[in-house]
Amino acid sequence: MTKLTNFIKGRLSVKISLMAVSAMAVLLIASLVVMLLYSRKKVKEETMARVTQTLDATVQNIDNILLSVEQTAGNVYYSLPPHINNPEALELYRRKLIDSNPYVADCTIALGDTTIKESKWTVKPVQEGKEPLISFSVPLYNTAGQLAGYVSTDVSIGLLSRIVAQTKPSENSFCVLLDSMGNFIVHPDAEQLMQQSAIEISKANANAELGEAVQAMIAGQTDYRTFCLWGTDFYVYFKPFSRSSVRGRAIGHLGWSAGIIYPERDIFGDYNNLQYYVLVISIIGLLLTFLLSHAVIKSRLKPLLMLTSQAQHIAAGNFSEPIPDSKHIDEVGRLQDNFQLMQRSLATQIDELESLKNTLYQRCEGLRKAYDQAKKADRMKTSFLHNMTNQMMEPAVAIEQDVQQLCSQSDRDTAQLVSDVQKKGKAITELLKNLISMSDDEMRKEADHD
């Protein structure tokens, strides 16, 4: 990781490319989020419209089947009162009712049972080994207007479910129809699920969300709910089972609720796949953008790399190495041109400094030679003074000796004159001694220096 960080920090083209791609990624992510949220909303709205249309068509289809059974039972019903005491005639009408309607599975004419006092649809208890049924029952009156029994027309839930299953909005969706107690009237797997009501299924799976959806359906609401069952997420769209208003129809609201159960993958499957496709395309696009921008930026930064190398050579002392002319007119090209002018100016100044150095060297050589000649002359002067003082010393001493001898033989005036001469001779002698001493010191210093 450290090597990668150092590599990025050491490459200007990589840093610029990453910054460009990062800015593009932020804009792309923001755009994709808005687009995907809008797309999800549209998918949901489209699904709602399709489900509503399918649900209305399903309710209408079921109601048409129920209406046809009601009309068939009604047609036979009005012919029965005169034949209540004729079992053969009743059986004949019963068979006629079954044969006249393909949705009728069975028909029962029960005489003497006065529990049915009004027309109604009911879900019959499931008998072992038999398919579940719903029954349309109407009270039967004799010619005297007395309640004599009832006529019950049975419709197969399995047949009803198979008919309804042919109209569904997606491959894995299915329609259900619940009565007011939460029992299934229509379900694609009716033979199995009629053993349990929707409420019992929600309790058996400890599924509170499914229980809320069932309660909302029983309450006659129009809405949708989400729940998870058997490891799959579902949407259920439901509405009350409304019946068509037909003249002579005695039964109104049944308390049933129709719904379409939609697996989430059927609704958002293509949308989720689109998310993955968009993500992959975005990553590939950003990668290609990075590579392309890196290649372009690197090519544009080649003059800078060349100038960096030239600066290193100049720092190493190669002032005369030429810098090629720029082919660009942008900032980098102007920088290269200015760097070229700087290198030429620097090379000129270095040449001038070199020429000045040579001139100074030559002048220093001349000064050194003059200095050597001056030293030689000084040594000659010192030697000359030394020799002269040595030569003058002996006569000065002789004069002093002669004066002393003269002083011992003269009178007072002569003695005074001789004394003055003697003093001056001593002064000359002392001066010569000092010159000799200074000359000796100077010669020793020169000897030590040499």
Side-chain angles (χ1 to χ4, degrees):
M1 189 65 182
T2 304
K3 292 182 178 179
L4 179 60
T5 304
N6 293 334
F7 174 78
I8 295 175
K9 289 182 178 179
R11 299 293 188 277
L12 180 60
S13 59
V14 175
K15 289 193 289 186
I16 296 177
S17 301
L18 286 177
M19 287 189 289
V21 171
S22 299
M24 184 178 296
V26 171
L27 295 176
L28 181 61
I29 290 173
S31 302
L32 289 179
V33 168
V34 173
M35 182 192 72
L36 291 176
L37 289 177
Y38 181 78
S39 300
R40 185 179 181 89
K41 178 182 177 182
K42 285 300 181 182
V43 169
K44 195 171 182 179
E45 291 176 353
E46 182 182 350
T47 302
M48 282 289 294
R50 186 167 63 251
V51 167
T52 300
Q53 183 179 2
T54 304
L55 196 57
D56 290 341
T58 300
V59 170
Q60 185 64 45
N61 191 15
I62 296 174
D63 188 52
N64 290 338
I65 294 174
L66 299 183
L67 180 60
S68 69
V69 173
E70 293 173 10
Q71 290 175 342
T72 301
N75 293 334
V76 175
Y77 168 78
Y78 290 110
S79 302
L80 290 179
H83 305 286
I84 287 179
N85 296 322
N86 187 348
E88 294 181 358
L90 293 178
E91 178 63 20
L92 180 64
Y93 279 111
R94 189 185 75 85
R95 295 302 312 172
K96 181 180 179 181
L97 191 151
I98 295 173
D99 295 338
S100 62
N101 194 310
Y103 302 114
V104 176
D106 197 5
C107 178
T108 301
I109 301 177
L111 298 177
D113 189 344
T114 59
T115 57
I116 305 298
K117 297 182 180 181
E118 61 179 356
S119 300
K120 64 179 180 180
W121 282 93
T122 57
V123 179
K124 299 186 71 172
V126 179
Q127 298 180 3
E128 186 176 356
K130 294 185 178 181
E131 64 176 347
L133 302 170
I134 57 173
S135 179
F136 174 65
S137 301
V138 293
L140 180 61
Y141 295 91
N142 56 25
T143 54
Q146 297 175 343
L147 184 62
Y150 66 89
V151 178
S152 176
T153 306
D154 299 330
V155 178
S156 169
I157 289 180
L159 175 62
L160 197 61
S161 297
R162 287 191 293 273
I163 294 173
V164 172
Q166 295 176 0
T167 57
K168 56 182 182 177
S170 70
E171 180 181 359
N172 300 304
S173 63
F174 55 91
C175 297
V176 295
L177 184 63
L178 301 183
D179 65 6
S180 59
M181 302 301 294
N183 297 312
F184 288 103
I185 299 175
V186 171
H187 193 284
D189 195 11
E191 294 182 357
Q192 178 180 353
L193 293 182
M194 275 303 295
Q195 306 298 326
Q196 286 183 307
S197 67
I199 297 177
E200 291 172 342
I201 292 175
S202 64
K203 291 180 178 179
N205 291 275
N207 196 319
E209 295 176 343
L210 177 58
E212 292 178 1
V214 173
Q215 293 298 331
M217 293 181 69
I218 293 175
Q221 297 180 15
T222 299
D223 202 353
Y224 77 93
R225 293 285 193 278
T226 60
F227 63 91
C228 182
L229 186 64
W230 306 311
T232 303
D233 293 326
F234 291 95
Y235 279 76
V236 55
Y237 301 84
F238 50 86
K239 62 177 292 185
F241 182 82
S242 57
R243 308 194 67 193
S244 302
S245 178
V246 179
R247 184 179 180 182
R249 195 172 197 178
I251 302 176
H253 183 63
L254 300 177
W256 296 353
S257 180
I260 293 180
I261 298 178
Y262 226 131
E264 187 181 31
R265 63 176 178 270
D266 282 15
I267 301 176
F268 299 109
D270 293 337
Y271 171 81
N272 293 332
N273 293 334
L274 176 64
Q275 285 183 312
Y276 297 136
Y277 295 148
V278 168
L279 180 61
V280 172
I281 292 173
S282 300
I283 293 174
I284 295 176
L286 290 175
L287 181 59
L288 292 177
T289 302
F290 170 78
L291 295 176
L292 179 61
S293 61
H294 179 263
V296 173
I297 293 172
K298 187 176 180 181
S299 65
R300 301 297 296 177
L301 291 180
K302 280 184 178 180
L304 293 180
L305 297 176
M306 182 271 295
L307 292 178
T308 301
S309 177
Q310 294 293 336
Q312 292 175 348
H313 291 165
I314 292 174
N318 301 318
F319 302 105
S320 60
E321 187 167 348
I323 296 177
D325 295 333
S326 174
K327 298 180 181 179
H328 306 287
I329 59 174
D330 54 8
E331 290 81 356
V332 176
R334 291 195 294 270
L335 175 62
Q336 184 175 348
D337 293 337
N338 292 331
F339 199 94
Q340 186 184 57
L341 293 176
M342 182 192 71
Q343 188 269 343
R344 291 174 180 174
S345 177
L346 183 60
T348 301
Q349 292 180 5
I350 293 299
D351 292 340
E352 292 177 355
L353 289 175
E354 187 69 23
S355 176
L356 182 59
K357 184 186 76 170
N358 294 331
T359 302
L360 290 176
Y361 178 77
Q362 293 175 359
R363 291 181 180 179
C364 286
E365 285 292 322
L367 290 175
R368 186 180 63 79
K369 291 179 180 179
Y371 175 72
D372 291 341
Q373 292 176 358
K375 284 183 65 178
K376 184 177 180 181
D378 188 62
R379 284 196 297 269
M380 291 175 64
K381 179 193 70 172
T382 303
S383 178
F384 171 77
L385 291 176
H386 187 269
N387 292 331
M388 290 297 295
T389 51
N390 285 335
Q391 293 177 9
M392 293 174 64
M393 189 65 184
E394 184 176 354
V397 173
I399 292 173
E400 184 181 4
Q401 291 175 355
D402 290 341
V403 169
Q404 289 178 355
Q405 185 178 3
L406 181 61
C407 184
S408 62
Q409 296 177 2
S410 300
D411 58 9
R412 181 178 298 178
D413 292 333
T414 304
Q416 181 65 37
L417 182 60
V418 171
S419 178
D420 292 337
V421 173
Q422 187 179 14
K423 288 180 182 180
K424 292 179 180 179
K426 287 181 178 181
I428 292 173
T429 302
E430 290 296 328
L431 180 59
L432 290 174
K433 287 181 179 180
N434 291 334
L435 287 174
I436 292 172
S437 178
M438 290 174 62
S439 177
D440 290 338
D441 292 338
E442 187 68 24
M443 292 180 68
R444 282 196 300 271
K445 289 180 181 179
E446 289 180 359
D448 294 336
H449 181 73
D450 292 339

